[in-house]
């Protein structure tokens, strides 16, 4: 189809051609006609910046350059799509692109979580767009709905499953009793995991994503270093089985709670989610964000949170948005937010807990443990026990909500009890409604 109203093409310079780059490129080829029609002008990728020129690529080599700087300074390029990830050299390249008058679309969660406020202000001051939908939740629209459709709400609570790799691993463990290492290897083979899977399984990736979502929802940048974080590497199949027996699933979640008028609690950790909560049925590589707003009530978004095609889809959505602004002569729709969100320390909040102890199977063990709980004002809601070989036993508790500080202090004391062999695991528990 020939679009008569098209004149000059919109030219894209792409930085990085890995998992997300490939998906983006393929979508642009496959859906070219619809994308051009929606923008109202033809869009083309004129250069692709790569770091390793020796890698085999399924594309015409003429597109590629290893001189990334030549892309961000090229006067013929209108939009820079940054898909390198990480801070160095992405931060400098994005800044240079904006300084040279280019709109930017990025999938880089670390960059936006750490430098979003500064970069969005820079974009705004130059009348440019800086979009980052693909940085959070792969193909699920989360950033734009929080910026726009839900913006009038006071967000009371958000809870997100934001790492596809971790959710894939936990689901495999739950459904197939798979080993942690095997499930991780499968997630890596499927292209979901980060270059270093520590970022996925230790909650670092989730902390970037929840920081971005909280920053948009509350209008101030949440510093990543203020986010309390625990990963999933210590979760065992035993914990998954106990959780199931009480009607819960274990998920790695990013949680944000409004605290008073000017602070938030933001944290990343595994949680036992009641089966009745919509997040409990989000499985595999699927991600979801559930939130409660004062007027909208409960909302949940879900979809494929990682992988080449879903993430490419989010990049293309942003490109279409920027393309429309260029065609319509808009002055840019970057929405700036300032630094300095006040994040309360984890010790200041309350949680319910699951606790699994390996103990000596002998008189008074249970009594000694309950004494410690009682002394810290921690009330036990449920309990299960079983004997283990070698005169040991396993005791598993669910507590009512208690102060995080009191629970941490109690655990220290429980660990030191002569009757306790080890604190096998402790996991926060979401209330059943
Ligand atoms: N490694 C991420 C995940 C995908 O597993 O969700 C990109 O953010």
């Amino acid at each position: 189809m020939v679009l008569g109203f098209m004149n000059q093409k919109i030219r894209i310079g792409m930085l990085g051609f890995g998992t997300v780059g490939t998906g983006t490129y393929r979508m642009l080829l496959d859906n070219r006609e619809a994308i051009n029609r929606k923008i109202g002008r033809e869009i083309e990728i004129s250069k692709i910046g790569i770091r390793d020129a020796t890698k085999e690529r399924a594309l015409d080599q003429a597109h590629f350059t290893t001189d990334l700087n030549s892309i961000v300074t090229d006067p013929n390029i209108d939009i820079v799509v940054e898909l390198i990830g990480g801070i160095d050299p992405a931060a400098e390249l994005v800044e240079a692109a904006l300084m040279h008058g280019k709109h930017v679309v990025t999938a880089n969660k670390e960059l936006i979580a750490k430098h979003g406020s500064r970069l969005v202000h820079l974009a705004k001051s130059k009348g440019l767009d800086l979009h980052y939908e693909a940085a959070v939740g792969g193909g699920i629209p989360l950033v734009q709905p929080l910026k726009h459709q839900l913006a009038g709400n006071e967000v009371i609570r958000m809870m997100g499953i934001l790492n596809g790799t971790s959710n894939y691993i936990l689901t495999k463990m739950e459904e197939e009793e798979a080993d942690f290492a095997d499930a991780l290897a499968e997630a890596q083979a499927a292209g979901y995991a980060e270059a270093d899977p520590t970022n996925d399984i230790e909650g670092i990736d989730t902390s970037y994503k929840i920081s971005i979502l909280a920053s948009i929802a509350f209008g101030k940048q949440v510093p990543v270093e203020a986010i309390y974080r625990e990963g999933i590497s210590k979760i065992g199949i035993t914990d998954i089985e106990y959780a199931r027996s009480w009607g819960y699933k274990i998920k790695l979640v990013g949680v944000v709670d409004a605290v008073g008028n000017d602070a938030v609690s933001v944290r990343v950790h595994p949680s036992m989610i009641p089966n009745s909560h919509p997040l409990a049925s989000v499985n595999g590589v699927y991600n979801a964000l559930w939130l409660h707003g004062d007027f909208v009530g409960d909302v949940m978004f879900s979809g494929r949170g990682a992988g080449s095609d879903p993430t490419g889809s989010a990049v293309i959505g942003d490109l279409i948005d920027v393309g429309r602004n260029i065609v319509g002569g808009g002055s840019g729709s970057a929405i700036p937010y300032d630094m300095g969100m006040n994040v309360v320390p984890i010790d200041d909040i309350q949680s319910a807990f699951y606790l699994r102890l390996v103990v000596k199977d002998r008189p008074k063990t249970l009594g000694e443990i309950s004494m410690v709980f009682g002394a810290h004002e921690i009330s036990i809601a449920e309990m299960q026990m079983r004997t283990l070989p070698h005169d040991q036993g396993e005791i598993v508790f669910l507590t009512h909500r208690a102060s995080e500080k009191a629970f941490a202090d109690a655990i220290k004391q429980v660990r030191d009890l002569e009757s306790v062999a080890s604190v096998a695991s402790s996991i926060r528990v979401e209330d059943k409604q």
Side-chain angles (χ1 to χ4, degrees):
M1 179 179 141
V2 178
L3 298 175
F5 51 91
M6 279 185 186
N7 37 45
Q8 209 187 346
K9 289 177 182 174
I10 295 174
R11 295 207 166 84
I12 316 282
M14 206 155 146
L15 303 173
F17 199 67
T19 305
V20 183
T22 316
T24 303
Y25 192 90
R26 211 177 31 241
M27 189 178 195
L28 211 44
L29 279 190
D30 287 2
N31 297 354
R32 170 182 294 278
E33 205 177 284
I35 293 167
N36 288 343
R37 192 173 59 244
K38 284 174 186 170
I39 294 174
R41 200 178 289 177
E42 197 176 337
I43 193 165
E44 82 166 16
I45 296 189
S46 42
K47 280 187 185 167
I48 302 174
I50 48 168
R51 279 180 288 186
D52 181 359
T54 61
K55 249 196 206 169
E56 192 109 333
R57 318 262 174 188
L59 266 184
D60 177 2
Q61 294 292 323
H63 277 93
F64 292 111
T65 171
T66 50
D67 183 359
L68 305 188
N69 222 42
S70 74
I71 295 183
V72 296
T73 55
D74 184 337
N76 293 317
I77 284 178
D78 304 294
I79 311 173
V80 167
V81 179
E82 186 274 303
L83 305 174
I84 304 173
I87 298 297
D88 186 23
E92 264 182 35
L93 289 166
V94 164
E95 196 164 340
L98 293 169
M99 295 304 287
H100 283 84
K102 286 153 204 356
H103 304 279
V104 173
V105 171
T106 176
N108 190 332
K109 59 226 143 186
E110 184 176 359
L111 179 70
I112 297 301
K114 292 183 177 168
H115 300 287
S117 169
R118 184 173 63 79
L119 291 172
V120 178
H121 272 292
L122 177 60
K124 187 77 184 171
S125 73
K126 300 205 163 279
L128 296 165
D129 280 331
L130 170 57
H131 284 325
Y132 46 89
E133 184 64 66
V136 190
I140 319 168
L142 296 177
V143 170
Q144 292 289 3
L146 278 175
K147 276 186 187 169
H148 298 286
Q149 292 79 8
L150 296 170
N153 284 267
E154 295 283 356
V155 174
I156 314 291
R157 177 151 229 239
M158 293 201 285
M159 190 155 55
I161 295 173
L162 300 170
N163 184 261
T165 302
S166 297
N167 207 39
Y168 186 92
I169 291 171
L170 291 171
T171 306
K172 284 265 166 201
M173 289 173 77
E174 160 100 36
E175 290 178 354
E176 296 170 20
E177 304 210 337
D179 201 33
F180 181 88
D182 289 345
L184 170 59
E186 278 187 55
Q188 284 175 306
Y192 302 141
E194 297 297 298
D196 177 358
T198 316
N199 279 358
D200 295 303
I201 60 185
E202 295 304 342
I204 298 164
D205 177 77
T206 301
S207 73
Y208 296 149
K209 292 168 175 171
I210 200 71
S211 152
I212 294 172
L213 296 177
S215 301
I216 300 168
F218 292 88
K220 274 195 181 168
Q221 185 156 328
V222 170
V224 174
E225 58 280 6
I227 300 177
Y228 174 85
R229 181 171 56 75
E230 272 176 37
I232 60 164
S233 53
K234 293 196 194 101
I235 305 282
I237 292 187
T238 314
D239 300 311
I240 290 177
E241 282 164 357
Y242 278 114
R244 184 189 296 139
S245 75
W246 271 311
Y248 295 88
K249 296 268 178 58
I250 299 177
K251 299 287 182 191
L252 180 67
V253 286
V255 188
V256 186
D257 283 304
V259 179
N261 287 330
D262 62 351
V264 286
S265 159
V266 189
R267 54 213 192 261
V268 175
H269 49 66
S271 268
M272 282 175 39
I273 308 286
N275 289 340
S276 56
H277 193 286
L279 284 177
S281 44
V282 175
N283 289 321
V285 70
Y286 275 70
N287 281 193
L289 179 74
W290 171 92
L291 68 80
H292 183 81
D294 60 349
F295 275 69
V296 74
D298 291 357
V299 179
M300 191 163 101
F301 304 84
S302 77
R304 290 162 71 83
S308 175
D309 289 359
T311 315
S313 154
V315 172
I316 294 290
D318 278 352
L319 270 176
I320 292 176
D321 219 14
V322 178
R324 284 171 170 160
N325 276 341
I326 292 174
V327 172
S331 63
S333 54
I335 299 179
Y337 49 92
D338 291 333
M339 300 289 289
M341 188 69 210
N342 186 8
V343 181
V344 300
I346 186 114
D347 273 356
D348 293 0
I349 65 162
Q350 294 220 324
S351 301
F353 286 92
Y354 158 98
L355 177 67
R356 178 162 64 92
L357 303 175
V358 177
V359 299
K360 289 185 181 156
D361 192 0
R362 60 161 205 211
K364 297 200 187 135
T365 293
L366 185 56
E368 286 170 10
I369 297 165
S370 334
M371 289 282 286
V372 176
F373 281 159
H376 289 87
E377 299 292 323
I378 296 164
S379 167
I380 296 163
E382 310 247 14
M383 193 184 81
Q384 296 186 42
M385 284 192 317
R386 63 175 176 146
T387 53
L388 298 176
H390 314 297
D391 294 329
Q392 288 198 316
E394 188 169 64
I395 311 186
V396 190
F397 300 97
L398 286 188
T399 74
H400 288 291
R401 284 168 83 80
S403 130
E404 285 264 353
K405 166 114 181 52
F407 187 79
D409 290 346
I411 290 288
K412 263 188 224 143
Q413 244 175 291
V414 164
R415 190 174 277 125
D416 288 345
L417 288 174
E418 217 258 312
S419 53
V420 172
S422 68
V423 175
S425 50
S426 77
I427 303 171
R428 288 169 186 80
V429 180
E430 276 302 304
D431 293 336
K432 285 188 175 165
Q433 299 303 318

